Amino acid sequence: MSDTRVLGNRQSGGDPSRPPVSTAEHIALAEARSAHNYAPLPVVIAEGEGAWVTDVEGRRHLDMLAGYSAMNFGHHNPDLLAAAHHQLDRVTLTSRAFYNDQFAPFVTALADLVGKERVLPMNTGAEAVETAIKVSRRWAYDVKGVPDGQATIVVAGGNFHGRTTTIISFSSDPDAYGGFGPYTPGFRSVPYGDADAVAEAVDGTTAAVLVEPVQGEAGVVVPPADYLPRLRELCDRENVLLIADEVQAGLGRTGTVRACEHSGVVPDAYLFGKALGGGVVPVSAMVADESVLGVIHPGQHGSTFGGNPLAGAMGRTVVRMLKEGPYLENARRLGEVLSTRLKEFTGNGVVAARSIGLWAGIDVDPALATGREMCERLLRRGVLVKDTHGSTIRFSPPLVISEEDLNWGLDQLGAVLADLRAERG
């Protein structure tokens, strides 16, 4: 058999007879042959275990990003790997043209986990949001009686719901929407956390209010305590669906299964993704009652891979782990440690810090460094985090992280801030 490992290596500038080995070689080849839709930090990860990853040159790094919450249960999790190996030996894909033996148990487990009746499984978080948009519009026409083609959806400024053409049409981030028009109509954007502004935007055409219980990409922005309760009251009064995008915030990240639990609010629909696949395969879902999802009929929405046997096996395992494992308690307990430690840095290079569970947004004094520079300096100290919007960085470590490792990672943040203050005088 031919050896395909060396295909394309001639662009790396190295020996074309072997695959890339060093960090520099991997990065050079990736930059030469991939589209530049990301600007990754200069580290090439080869292995992972728990909250730690190892790069191609054997250096270990503490993963304080966890794949934007996709790796909530850590790298190389034995329960997830066992479920994946078992299913890989059986069947991985059938399409929704047929039933498979993982489908019914998965949708039942997920629906029961959050107290809803039905699940519409997809693959990515953006697909879950697109599903919610379609379902909301169809509900508006079939149930609420909105004239065809006139349904509107109220969204929040600073949102991040994905990168499809429709979703970027209601983004307020120029990097996300700039140069990709014409844009999809039917959305009204108001400031996040402002329930009065939502009320002003709602009218007889409004199908839904789509909101993140905590805004992740915006820098882990936690809304006022009365925000979601007021939205719930408004939607009940005006016959509007309240849809919670829990793709990043849900499934343990904030110390609860649903971030909405912190405010005691039950939305009409939940959107899950990222952690739902256990970091093994992309799995997402819209979860709602029959009164909402019942408007969708065969042929109107679907996905070849949505609800596939491997996805079902992983999703079922994630639900079981959340119900039986220590993950939620660990997120709550270490979330208190994270919140307490962040207070040390406020006023010492950090302008503001927000946290909920094991999730934090940290605004670094822009006079000291950009967010990217902070991430690069932390990388050199063995900590992986990601910046967003200027001088803000996010911490979202796996829920399996130990208190010792969490404190060590935060110590590195303190050391970087001290170095920057010394350098800037």
Side-chain angles (χ1 to χ4, degrees), residues 19-302:
V21 175
S22 69
T23 296
E25 286 178 301
H26 276 281
I27 291 175
L29 182 58
E31 290 299 297
R33 303 309 298 269
S34 72
H36 294 171
N37 60 322
Y38 279 91
L41 291 170
V43 59
V44 181
I45 297 167
E47 297 178 10
E49 184 81 27
W52 292 84
V53 294
T54 304
D55 68 21
V56 292
E57 295 175 17
R59 293 182 291 255
R60 296 179 75 232
H61 307 269
L62 183 62
D63 181 2
M64 296 281 271
L65 182 64
Y68 304 101
S69 291
M71 300 301 301
N72 275 3
F73 306 100
H75 300 275
H76 207 261
N77 185 290
D79 288 338
L80 291 166
L81 289 183
H85 283 303
H86 177 72
Q87 193 61 40
L88 285 169
D89 288 336
R90 300 178 69 242
V91 62
T92 57
L93 181 65
T94 60
S95 86
R96 288 297 308 283
F98 319 104
Y99 292 98
N100 68 74
D101 68 350
Q102 298 300 308
F103 183 79
F106 165 52
V107 296
T108 299
L110 182 57
D112 289 347
L113 180 70
V114 298
K116 294 292 186 183
E117 295 173 346
R118 295 191 180 273
V119 172
L120 200 168
M122 297 294 285
N123 307 287
T124 66
E127 287 178 283
V129 175
E130 288 277 357
T131 298
I133 292 170
K134 289 179 67 175
V135 169
S136 298
R137 287 174 171 174
R138 190 59 182 256
W139 177 88
Y141 303 136
D142 291 0
V143 177
K144 187 173 179 176
V146 174
D148 187 49
Q150 295 183 28
T152 59
I153 296 174
V154 178
V155 298
N159 71 74
F160 182 80
H161 296 288
R163 297 188 185 278
T164 64
T165 306
T166 293
I167 292 172
I168 63 156
S169 295
F170 54 89
S171 170
S172 57
D173 181 359
D175 286 339
Y177 69 77
F180 297 113
Y183 303 110
T184 306
F187 302 96
R188 297 172 180 170
S189 182
V190 299
Y192 184 66
D194 188 341
D196 290 333
V198 175
E200 291 178 6
V202 168
D203 63 18
T205 69
T206 307
V209 174
L210 170 63
V211 66
E212 298 161 272
V214 178
Q215 287 194 328
E217 185 75 13
V220 190
V221 180
V222 182
D226 67 344
Y227 179 58
L228 291 178
R230 291 183 63 190
L231 294 190
R232 177 70 277 174
E233 293 173 3
L234 171 68
C235 289
D236 287 341
R237 184 172 65 251
E238 300 295 333
N239 193 24
V240 170
L241 299 178
L242 178 59
I243 300 175
D245 180 347
E246 299 247 8
V247 171
Q248 287 194 49
L251 304 180
R253 174 52 52 192
T254 68
T256 56
V257 171
R258 299 151 290 163
C260 286
E261 292 178 54
H262 292 282
S263 58
V265 165
V266 177
D268 296 291
Y270 297 103
L271 309 181
F272 295 115
K274 294 197 185 294
L276 190 56
V280 178
V281 289
V283 183
S284 68
M286 179 178 182
V287 189
D289 285 336
E290 165 66 14
S291 59
V292 177
L293 279 173
V295 302
I296 291 293
H297 303 291
Q300 296 176 348
H301 190 62

